[in-house]
């Protein structure tokens, strides 16, 4: 019985020792994982160092460097010694970097795509290495609000082609559609602009439409999304059984109506007057002017 207990004690000692070494070495490395920072292209990136200095800045040497790759020297982003900024700096970061002299935070202005990557803040006190902090910088650019074009406006059931496009974004995006609240994935093309290093994206949706539908084009990038809604409305189709009257028919109808309004009243006035007969006396010098006027009017109507 005692032997068994001793074996258990001997077994537990290496296990405890292993967990002790794990706490001393593995856990600190886990805490030193890079800080993730995102900045907009053309904006300012803020990279924290998070080191609390115990002495004046002039006592330290501070370096911010950008990691390039294994076997390749890091790029100097900014450097301080004797409390002042050194002139030694990679040309890529000239006139674009500044450091807070109290918190050692690094600022990079006019951010571009080539700025993304891993950076580290190194603190030296004499020849003693006092601290080091890694920061991973990601860059992004907002895509423009998508624009949707429809092949034609339907007036009944039809198959439509809807085209969605957006541009000026980074990193490369994906596109999806929402048709009446149901997600639809369709093919799209993403093209990189070599000058700005941003992306343009275009995609098409083929959709059978028999009633009004609400579609949404969505652009997904860097955990973000931009979208546009579009209502496809089916209009009323014209009735082919009753075509509109021809233009010539309408013109002729107007002419006949105008003539009727002019001729018919004149004809009716003449019909109401007494007609001239063969027994009507011949005009003489004794007739009054009123009698002559009446006779002349009657003759004109006849």
């Amino acid at each position: 019985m005692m032997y068994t207990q001793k074996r258990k004690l001997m077994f537990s000692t290496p296990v405890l020792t292993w967990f002790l070494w794990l706490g001393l070495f593995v856990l600190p490395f886990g805490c030193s994982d890079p800080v993730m920072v995102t900045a907009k292209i053309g904006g300012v990136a803020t990279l924290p160092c998070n080191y609390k200095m115990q002495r004046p800045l002039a006592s330290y040497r501070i370096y911010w460097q950008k990691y390039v790759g294994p076997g390749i020297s890091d790029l100097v982003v900014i450097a301080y010694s004797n409390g002042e900024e050194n002139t030694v700096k990679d040309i890529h970061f000239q006139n674009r970097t500044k450091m807070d002299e109290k918190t050692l935070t690094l600022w990079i202005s006019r951010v571009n795509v080539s700025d993304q990557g891993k950076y580290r803040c190194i603190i030296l006190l004499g020849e003693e290495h006092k601290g080091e902090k890694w920061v991973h910088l990601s860059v992004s650019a907002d895509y423009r609000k998508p624009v949707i074009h429809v092949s034609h406006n339907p007036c009944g059931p039809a198959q439509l082609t809807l085209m969605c496009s957006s541009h000026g974004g980074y990193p490369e995006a994906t596109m999806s559609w929402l048709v009446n609240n149901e997600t639809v994935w369709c093919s799209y093309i993403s093209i990189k602009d070599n000058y700005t290093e941003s992306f343009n994206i275009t995609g098409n949706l083929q959709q059978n439409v028999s009633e009004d539908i609400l579609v949404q084009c969505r652009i997904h990038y860097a955990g973000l999304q931009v979208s546009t809604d579009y209502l496809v409305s089916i209009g009323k189709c014209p009735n082919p059984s009753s075509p509109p009257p021809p233009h010539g028919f309408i013109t002729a109808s107007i002419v006949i109506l105008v003539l009727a309004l002019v001729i018919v009243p004149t004809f009716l006035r003449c019909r109401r007057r007494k007609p001239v007969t063969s027994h009507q006396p011949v005009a003489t010098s004794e007739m009054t002017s009123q009698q002559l006027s009446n006779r002349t009017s009657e003759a004109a109507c006849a």
Side-chain angles (χ1 to χ4, degrees):
M1 185 69 179
M2 292 296 296
Y3 179 79
T4 304
Q5 292 178 349
K6 185 177 180 180
R7 288 292 300 271
K8 288 183 178 180
L9 182 61
M10 292 175 62
F11 176 77
S12 61
T13 301
V15 173
L16 293 175
T17 303
W18 183 82
F19 275 107
L20 178 61
W21 282 102
L22 178 67
L24 291 175
F25 292 97
V26 177
L27 294 181
F29 281 113
C31 293
S32 63
D33 287 343
V35 175
M36 308 301 293
V37 174
T38 301
K40 298 292 185 181
I41 293 178
V44 177
T46 302
L47 283 63
C49 185
N50 294 331
Y51 179 77
K52 187 175 182 180
M53 295 186 296
Q54 303 298 326
R55 299 186 182 185
L57 178 63
S59 304
Y60 296 89
R61 285 185 294 154
I62 312 297
Y63 296 92
W64 270 102
Q65 299 177 340
K66 184 176 187 292
Y67 175 76
V68 180
I72 304 175
S73 299
D74 293 348
L75 302 180
V76 177
V77 180
I78 199 169
Y80 269 75
S81 62
N82 299 321
E84 296 181 355
E85 181 180 350
N86 294 343
T87 57
V88 179
K89 182 186 297 187
D90 187 83
I91 190 173
H92 179 73
F93 297 101
Q94 289 289 341
N95 303 318
R96 294 201 303 124
T97 58
K98 185 178 180 181
M99 190 186 76
D100 188 299
E101 297 181 355
K102 294 182 179 180
T103 64
L104 308 185
T105 296
L106 172 68
W107 293 300
I108 304 175
S109 62
R110 302 190 303 277
V111 172
N112 54 63
V113 173
S114 60
D115 289 333
Q116 66 181 351
K118 290 183 179 181
Y119 295 77
R120 61 174 175 171
C121 173
I122 304 171
I123 302 98
L124 301 175
L125 182 59
E127 298 301 324
E128 183 181 359
H129 188 281
K130 300 298 292 184
E132 182 173 304
K133 187 68 176 180
W134 284 90
V135 181
H136 188 279
L137 174 62
S138 298
V139 302
S140 66
D142 292 333
Y143 281 80
R144 304 297 186 271
K145 190 177 181 65
V147 177
I148 300 176
H149 297 281
V150 183
S151 56
H152 66 279
N153 295 322
C155 65
Q159 185 181 51
L160 300 181
T161 300
L162 292 88
M163 184 181 73
C164 178
S165 60
S166 181
H167 65 280
Y170 188 90
E172 192 169 8
T174 60
M175 177 185 292
S176 68
W177 296 79
L178 204 64
V179 180
N180 288 340
N181 294 323
E182 293 187 5
T183 302
V184 179
W185 295 90
C186 294
S187 60
Y188 58 86
I189 298 175
S190 181
I191 301 176
K192 185 176 182 180
D193 187 316
N194 292 328
Y195 179 74
T196 63
E197 298 188 78
S198 61
F199 287 89
N200 304 326
I201 185 170
T202 303
N204 293 329
L205 171 67
Q206 300 286 339
Q207 184 70 29
N208 291 319
V209 179
S210 58
E211 59 183 1
D212 293 357
I213 61 172
L214 180 65
V215 299
Q216 183 185 79
C217 177
R218 303 184 296 182
I219 309 297
H220 313 268
Y221 66 102
L224 303 174
Q225 175 180 299
V226 59
S227 62
T228 295
D229 294 337
Y230 189 94
L231 178 62
V232 180
S233 180
I234 297 181
K236 185 177 180 181
C237 297
N239 187 358
S241 60
S242 56
H247 179 72
F249 175 80
I250 296 176
T251 303
S253 300
I254 294 174
V255 172
I256 293 174
L257 178 61
V258 171
L259 292 176
L261 292 175
V262 174
I263 296 175
V264 171
T266 303
F267 177 76
L268 292 177
R269 284 199 305 271
C270 294
R271 294 289 296 175
R272 286 197 297 269
R273 295 184 181 276
K274 182 179 179 181
V276 177
T277 62
S278 58
H279 303 287
Q280 187 171 353
V282 180
T284 64
S285 59
E286 290 80 7
M287 289 183 177
T288 64
S289 61
Q290 181 64 34
Q291 290 174 332
L292 290 173
S293 175
N294 291 341
R295 181 174 180 181
T296 304
S297 176
E298 292 173 357
C301 293

